[in-house]
Amino acid sequence: MIRKIGVLGISLLCLATITSCEKDFSEIGTNVVNNDKFETGEILLDVEITPIDIESVQADNINANINEYWLGVYNNLNAEKIEASIISQIGYVINLNNKDTDTTAFNLDKVVLKIPYQATSTGTTDGVTSFKLDSVLGNPNIATSIQVLQNETYLNILNPSDPSKRNTFLSNNDYLGNNVLNDGGGAYELKPKATDTLFIFDRIDRSTSLTSTDTYKDTIRASNSQNLKVPFLAIPLDFDKMKDLFWDKFEAPEFASKEAFDDYFRGIKILATGSDGSMVPLDLASVSPTPSIDFLYTKSSMDGATIKKTTKGVFRFPLSGIRNSYYKMTPATNPAPANNFVIQGTAGSMAEVKILDESKVQELKSNNWLINDASLTFYINQTINSDANTTPQQLFLYQNKENETGGISSTQLTDAYVDPSSYGGGLQKTDDDAPEKYTFRITDYISKLLSGGENITTDPLVLKVYNPTDSPVNNNILTTSVKSYNWNPRAVTLFNGNEAANGTKRAVLKISYSKEK
């Protein structure tokens, strides 16, 4: 799309007649004016980069639909180490009946926290489907410590300070509670594997006696909507604690209603800690299979003191309601080299990008050019980021604008929604599939900047890792504001705009133009 710089430029080009103007501009729709009255050119302009450390991001599902929650430790030596944890309410379940009668007996056997991994099928052999885990970052052969604790912070949808507004939980929010629910009180060692499609445990054999101590091996699986046995995370929980907190209270007032239950058991904290390991995305919104706490029991049909039949069953409490992410960030082991900067998702880092000052704007206006295209390119330091799979697949560029009250509003650039197919920001690779650069086309923004429609000194651009909530159009509804959500943990090291240090790989603004001969 071609843009005009300044009213003066338009006037000089159209002094003849409206007819001649139409003739001269007959080829503008091709993005480059190409006739005998114009010549084309381009200029490269330096940009100034200022890194921004992110203190926190919005991390709740109250104000956004979130499917992906990360769990584990990712120690990228060239970016901040991330310890990613999950806080979740537990869904209320009705029709709980574990009360012994003269004809039946219920006995709790095992309690397991079960969460499906995000996985892709790789084929079926002899009726058995194989999978690969999606997007695991770090080293899954290094164990990450996972503790499940009882959350004691009430998770409210409404803001306690102003109940007319919805609540917000940030990624560094504190949550009360130190009651460890792991089996044995220790930590679970997370080493995610695509073959984790089976959890084996000892179940008491109650076929002949309710007081039996004999056991046999039993299994738990997780099936999706296609009835495929998918890989999942299974963390055994403390039998006595969960029996006391849940099983023994099914008939108590704490389970009489959803409101009573939500206040009594306020959820769990799944906390990841460690110096290294791996981080895995979990789909907590999945309905097949559903993430849950499973209470596995045996129901015995009695004839007096004689057991006639035993039936295995499960009371399944889904991880539902309010869910939040918690990110503990630790400074990078190897900070960015001089004249480089890091863009990292979650609560990592962004960058402020200044492209034109007032004097440069005035100089460009005086040229009376027609703008054919304007692009902003950031080159990747391939010495640090050589693997395209662990590099952010997309970055995002937006604007911080000062609003009427003196605050700052994060705002979409018009290029992002006027022509989203060419706006850019996607990872571009070399012929050998190495990550190379990110480019944004900001023709509309430059046009407005040069015409006085954008504020140069107080409205800088901001570069960040793209998150699905950054899309300006969802369900055909335009949203010009940019939310602070980010659950993409990847990072990339980019060259800044220093020409002496980075040469042709420097961050640069390129403006292509046409001018009258």
Side-chain angles (χ1 to χ4, degrees), residues 35-111:
N35 56 35
D36 59 3
K37 295 185 180 295
F38 292 90
E39 62 183 20
T40 61
E42 67 179 34
I43 57 171
L44 302 179
L45 300 173
D46 294 336
V47 301
E48 180 182 341
I49 306 293
T50 304
I52 302 172
D53 186 55
I54 304 172
E55 182 178 345
S56 63
V57 293
Q58 196 165 348
D60 60 80
N61 66 337
I62 297 174
N63 302 283
N65 293 322
I66 302 175
N67 292 334
E68 191 170 87
Y69 295 79
W70 288 81
L71 179 67
V73 175
Y74 181 38
N75 191 5
N76 179 343
L77 298 181
N78 300 290
E80 294 184 49
K81 184 186 75 173
I82 307 172
E83 294 170 271
S85 303
I86 298 168
I87 290 83
S88 178
Q89 285 184 315
I90 305 300
Y92 178 65
V93 178
I94 62 174
N95 297 325
L96 295 170
N97 180 13
N98 64 341
K99 190 174 182 179
D100 292 351
T101 68
D102 293 338
T103 57
T104 58
F106 287 83
N107 291 97
L108 181 63
D109 295 321
K110 195 73 174 178
V111 184

Side-chain angles (χ1 to χ4, degrees), residues 17 74 101 106 135 141 213 223 233 258 328 413 418 421 455:
T17 64
Y74 181 38
T101 68
F106 287 83
S135 305
N141 295 318
T213 58
S223 301
L233 169 65
K258 182 181 185 307
K328 180 182 178 182
L413 295 182
V418 170
S421 61
N455 190 308

Side-chain angles (χ1 to χ4, degrees), residues 492-507:
V492 61
T493 301
L494 304 172
F495 294 113
N496 70 7
N498 188 317
E499 182 177 7
N502 299 323
T504 58
K505 295 296 179 107
R506 72 188 186 279

Side-chain angles (χ1 to χ4, degrees), residues 302-323:
M302 309 295 296
D303 183 6
T306 304
I307 298 175
K308 297 166 49 180
K309 179 182 178 182
T310 58
T311 305
K312 295 185 293 186
V314 57
F315 290 124
R316 182 164 289 126
F317 287 80
L319 273 60
S320 62
I322 297 174
R323 294 185 291 262

Side-chain angles (χ1 to χ4, degrees), residues 257-293:
S257 67
K258 182 181 185 307
E259 291 74 17
F261 175 72
D262 286 346
D263 186 51
Y264 162 65
F265 193 84
R266 299 181 175 183
I268 58 174
K269 301 186 291 184
I270 312 173
L271 300 185
T273 57
S275 59
D276 204 352
S278 62
M279 194 158 62
V280 60
L282 301 174
D283 183 0
L284 297 189
S286 172
V287 295
S288 180
T290 300
S292 60
I293 297 178

